[in-house]
């Protein structure tokens, strides 16, 4: 089965084409086309994602990305038949709210032969609603033109399932031999949660942040330290430099909620502690900045590990999967690898390969396939963006 997948929940516009086969227990994928445009440079001057701008950029990028993904998959073929009147009206209604997309859609899609795909998967949430809507309306328009079913995907399920995926070489991926329950630690700019998957696609929330998401804490602390957006990679770079120098740590930041009996998190106190420290110090030297970044990362990694370890014990998890942008963090990856080996060697740790940590459309295709296996289809009339869509 061949799926076209679309992701526009935040500041990455992405379209992929994947070939998928198998069952939930043993699924096989091949990436046929994978196109992505990051808006990071555009949002940088605002110090964060600016929703109206994200929406405009998605609308501008979707058609070129569709062409790129289909062309890579060798599915882009020309056909100059004009759309029938009835189709034109339906698509125009769907794209009414996306003027940038509307024009490009007609210019390009009316020149394109219907590609050999079986379904269209699109992120329905969570994320920024105006951004999600662009992808959804685009997917709906494609579904009308190509007469293909639509599948609504939860972005977090995409992160979790893609964390379970293993590359078997080249563009081939498998998801198999997954020990249940799976514990997912989903850490991104908008989310920090521990979710248990006791059987395929059935979720239970084990813990979550009570205030800021981890990625948000990285981004806010980075901004306080005059580092560019997104802050995670910047803090990581500084901290890694200090780790190489083995300097003595002059700073001490709190490890919020470390000792409490829940699997919940809190990061706003940690962020405030950095703010006070910076106010008190006035300015920091380059070395001190590196040290502060390291102490912040240590505090985050310690709390994330400690809560994950508690959650492993509570759920009896056989698999721990990290997903979301923050799972790209070198130090967090290192801490989890070492701690699992030392304390829970019976648990299989899955951390996605670099390109699958941050948002992409391949993960949406993977999750779309799992939903298709269950016979789930989204309804063209009722499918809506849901910024707060949750897994459990
Ligand atoms: O999953 P993602 O791409 O988008 C959301 O769904 O939010 O995650 C983005 C977040 C940002 O907060 C970014 O600062 C953080 O992931 N991030 C990192 C690293 N790379 C990205 N945080 C820590 N260390 C990194 N290396
Ligand atoms: Zn994400």
């Amino acid at each position: 089965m061949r799926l076209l997948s679309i992701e526009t929940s935040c500041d990455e516009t992405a379209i992929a084409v994947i070939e998928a086969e198998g069952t939930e227990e043993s699924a096989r994928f091949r990436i046929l086309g994978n196109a992505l445009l990051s808006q990071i440079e555009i949002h940088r001057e605002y110090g964060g994602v600016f929703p109206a701008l994200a929406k405009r950029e998605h609308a501008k990028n979707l058609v070129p990305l569709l062409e790129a993904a289909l062309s890579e998959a060798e599915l882009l073929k020309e056909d100059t038949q004009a759309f029938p009147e009835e189709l034109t009206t339906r698509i125009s209604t769907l794209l009414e709210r996306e003027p940038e997309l509307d024009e490009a859609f007609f210019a390009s899609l009316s020149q394109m032969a219907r590609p050999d795909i079986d379904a269209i998967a699109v992120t329905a949430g969570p994320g920024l609603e105006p951004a999600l809507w662009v992808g959804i309306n685009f997917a709906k328009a494609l579904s009308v033109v190509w007469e293909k079913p639509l599948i609504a995907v939860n972005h977090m399920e995409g992160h979790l399932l893609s964390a379970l995926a293993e590359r078997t070489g080249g563009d081939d991926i498998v998801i198999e031999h997954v020990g249940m329950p799976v514990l997912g630690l989903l850490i991104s700019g908008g989310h920090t949660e521990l979710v248990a998957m006791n059987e395929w696609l059935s979720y239970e929330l084990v813990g979550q942040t009570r205030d800021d998401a981890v990625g948000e804490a990285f981004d806010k602390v980075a901004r306080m330290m005059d580092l560019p957006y997104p802050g995670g990679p910047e803090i990581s770079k500084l901290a890694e430099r200090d780790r190489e120098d083995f300097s003595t740590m002059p700073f001490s930041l709190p490890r919020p909620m470390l000792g409490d009996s829940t699997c919940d998190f809190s990061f706003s106190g940690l962020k405030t502690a950095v703010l006070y420290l910076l106010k008190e110090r006035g300015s920091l030297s380059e070395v001190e900045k590196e040290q502060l970044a390291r102490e912040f990362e240590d505090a985050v990694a310690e709390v994330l590990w400690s809560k994950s370890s508690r959650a492993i014990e509570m759920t009896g998890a056989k698999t721990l999967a990290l997903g979301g942008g923050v799972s790209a963090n070198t130090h967090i990856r290192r801490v989890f690898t070492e701690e699992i080996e030392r304390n829970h060697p019976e648990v299989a740790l899955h951390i996605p390969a670099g390109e699958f940590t941050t948002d992409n459309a391949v993960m949406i295709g993977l999750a779309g396939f799992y939903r298709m296996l269950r016979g789930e289809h989204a309804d063209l009339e009722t499918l809506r963006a849901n910024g707060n869509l949750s897994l459990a």
Side-chain angles (χ1 to χ4, degrees):
M1 167 186 311
R2 218 171 264 166
L3 281 110
L4 180 98
S5 52
I6 302 164
E7 156 64 35
T8 64
S9 69
C10 191
D11 59 353
E12 256 93 28
T13 323
I15 297 192
V17 184
I18 63 163
E19 181 90 53
E21 59 174 35
T23 59
E24 290 176 348
E25 286 74 28
S26 176
R28 249 161 255 281
F29 306 91
R30 175 166 290 169
I31 304 170
L32 302 178
N34 186 13
L36 183 142
L37 265 173
S38 168
Q39 303 175 7
I40 282 178
E41 292 306 325
I42 294 159
H43 295 289
R44 187 161 277 154
E45 66 178 289
Y46 301 92
V49 182
F50 190 58
L53 205 55
K55 175 183 158 67
R56 201 188 71 195
E57 286 300 309
H58 288 311
K60 211 166 72 186
N61 295 334
L62 277 169
V63 169
L65 286 172
L66 174 70
E67 288 171 346
L70 287 176
S71 156
E72 192 191 345
E74 295 181 4
L75 294 172
L76 188 64
K77 306 219 165 51
E78 216 178 301
D79 179 358
T80 46
Q81 277 192 349
F83 290 148
E85 177 92 22
E86 186 253 356
L87 264 193
T88 310
T89 320
R90 279 189 80 187
I91 300 163
S92 296
T93 314
L94 286 169
L95 297 182
E96 209 165 46
R97 291 202 279 166
E98 332 286 356
E100 260 114 356
L101 180 55
D102 189 37
E103 212 175 294
F105 190 95
F106 282 101
S108 179
L109 270 286
S110 57
Q111 310 277 314
M112 205 185 272
R114 181 187 302 192
D116 182 12
I117 58 156
D118 300 289
I120 301 159
V122 63
T123 306
L128 302 168
E129 279 190 9
L132 288 163
W133 268 118
V134 189
I136 290 175
N137 285 331
F138 182 58
K140 286 183 177 184
L142 291 180
S143 164
V144 168
V145 174
W146 294 341
E147 296 179 297
K148 300 293 175 194
L150 269 181
I151 307 165
V153 171
N154 181 313
H155 180 89
M156 302 316 283
E157 186 164 78
H159 274 306
L160 182 60
L161 294 180
S162 63
L164 297 174
E166 279 170 298
R167 284 236 189 205
T168 49
D171 291 323
D172 291 336
I173 296 176
V174 296
I175 299 182
E176 58 185 7
H177 309 305
V178 177
M180 298 277 172
V182 172
L183 180 69
L185 174 66
L186 302 176
I187 42 181
S188 68
H191 286 83
T192 300
E193 54 199 32
L194 278 160
V195 183
M197 180 167 77
N198 298 312
E199 50 188 277
W200 287 103
L201 315 192
S202 155
Y203 304 99
E204 191 187 325
L205 188 64
V206 180
Q208 62 183 326
T209 183
R210 298 196 180 163
D211 39 59
D212 292 356
V214 201
E216 193 182 349
F218 267 101
D219 295 338
K220 285 178 177 167
V221 164
R223 197 185 317 177
M224 290 175 206
M225 294 171 71
D226 294 324
L227 300 167
Y229 173 85
E234 300 293 327
I235 297 218
S236 172
K237 251 185 273 168
L238 284 181
E240 285 301 311
R241 244 179 264 156
D242 191 59
R243 285 180 213 287
E244 281 163 23
D245 297 344
F246 293 109
S247 73
T248 314
M249 180 53 64
F251 304 120
S252 164
L253 293 172
R255 271 64 173 159
M257 295 183 68
L258 192 67
D260 94 331
S261 61
T262 70
C263 292
D264 284 348
F265 306 90
S266 162
F267 292 102
S268 81
L270 179 58
K271 172 193 70 186
T272 314
V274 174
L275 181 70
Y276 286 148
L277 190 148
L278 288 171
K279 269 196 180 150
E280 198 185 293
R281 291 269 172 154
S283 69
L284 296 184
S285 69
E286 247 343 275
V287 174
E288 284 170 330
K289 277 190 177 176
E290 291 170 9
Q291 290 167 326
L292 181 60
R294 178 178 133 208
E295 173 65 3
F296 173 76
E297 230 180 40
D298 280 348
V300 169
E302 204 177 318
V303 173
L304 289 177
W305 167 252
S306 153
K307 296 288 180 168
S308 301
S309 165
R310 182 189 297 277
I312 288 172
E313 278 150 28
M314 274 173 55
T315 57
K318 301 266 185 344
T319 305
L320 174 63
L322 265 55
V326 182
S327 64
N329 184 274
T330 311
H331 183 62
I332 294 172
R333 294 167 85 96
R334 192 164 44 216
V335 166
F336 273 72
T337 308
E338 287 169 5
E339 295 289 351
I340 280 284
E341 222 172 87
R342 197 177 310 143
N343 299 304
H344 292 286
E346 75 288 2
V347 175
L349 175 67
H350 288 258
I351 310 183
E355 66 182 301
F356 290 139
T357 53
T358 43
D359 295 346
N360 62 85
V362 171
M363 70 182 202
I364 303 307
L366 261 51
F369 176 64
Y370 274 79
R371 290 291 159 187
M372 259 197 109
L373 284 176
R374 299 241 162 150
E376 287 182 21
H377 291 305
D379 179 58
L380 194 82
E381 305 305 323
T382 55
L383 174 61
R384 301 181 61 78
N386 180 353
N388 298 314
L389 189 65
S390 67
L391 270 184

